[in-house]
Amino acid sequence: MGYELMSLHILGDSRGSLIALEENYNIPFAIKRVYYIFDTKKDVQRGFHAHIDLKQLAICVKGECTFILDDGKHREEIRLDSASKGLLIEGLIWREMHNFSPDCVLLVLASEHYNEDDYIREYDKFLEILAT
Ligand code: T46
């Protein structure tokens, strides 16, 4: 499936921890956009779409949430529960986000600017595109 769970290297010293994200170095694409999702209300589920051409790295810099990733054949569940876990998603993958902790701040680095035309928001259409 088109995802990788990356362990981000923690630069720590007696003061605490720091993680550096550098495009085309530990982030395997040029970063054109950064967004973050926070203050997610109880029992809210987000996502429910795929992208035609987008690479993204998602990190819960605070709190936790669960991604469900689906390539049309298999569904996998990934809990992001550490600021040092990065979920890299690329290719035609249906994604859903569930079980946000109240304090969750989900940071996402993206390889492209925002473009609604890149979204596939209907699951049946996603399966159709996979089959072509
Ligand atoms: C994804 C998951 C992980 C913008 O105007 N610019 C942006 O860069 C983004 C990401 C969103 N928006 C607008 C579009 C909607 O009106 O913000 C609103 C909420 O976006 P959406 O419903 O797509 O949010 P999620 O949480 O369902 O999905 C987001 C990303 O859109 C998506 O690319 O992979 O997070």
Side-chain angles (χ1 to χ4, degrees):
M1 201 185 286
Y3 81 86
E4 184 187 338
L5 194 56
M6 296 169 59
S7 278
L8 303 168
H9 181 58
I10 301 174
L11 301 162
D13 58 27
S14 57
R15 296 168 298 174
S17 302
L18 182 156
I19 290 176
L21 306 173
E22 297 183 67
E23 69 176 16
N24 295 323
Y25 183 52
N26 60 346
I27 306 303
F29 54 81
I31 301 160
K32 287 203 183 150
R33 179 165 52 109
V34 176
Y35 60 91
Y36 44 99
I37 294 169
F38 61 103
D39 195 22
T40 306
K41 306 304 176 209
K42 197 170 180 295
D43 298 328
V44 161
Q45 305 178 342
R46 303 191 62 123
F48 295 88
H49 59 255
H51 282 283
I52 296 164
D53 182 24
L54 186 67
K55 293 179 186 163
Q56 299 200 103
L57 184 84
I59 305 163
C60 275
V61 292
K62 188 169 169 59
E64 307 179 16
C65 75
T66 298
F67 269 74
I68 291 181
L69 300 179
D70 178 338
D71 66 359
K73 291 194 179 107
H74 306 104
R75 274 168 85 80
E76 293 187 17
E77 199 174 295
I78 295 112
R79 187 75 177 158
L80 290 185
D81 56 5
S82 159
S84 66
K85 276 188 193 175
L87 178 62
L88 177 68
I89 308 172
E90 54 187 316
L92 268 179
I93 300 287
W94 184 263
R95 76 228 36 206
E96 300 169 11
M97 293 99 83
H98 301 264
N99 297 322
F100 287 84
S101 62
D103 61 344
C104 181
V105 181
L106 175 64
L107 175 75
V108 183
L109 312 181
S111 64
E112 301 299 333
H113 294 293
Y114 175 70
N115 174 11
E116 186 57 38
D117 293 343
D118 189 64
Y119 284 73
I120 308 163
R121 292 194 184 269
E122 287 131 48
Y123 191 75
D124 286 350
K125 191 172 167 204
F126 164 67
L127 292 180
E128 247 174 58
I129 292 172
L130 278 178
T132 56

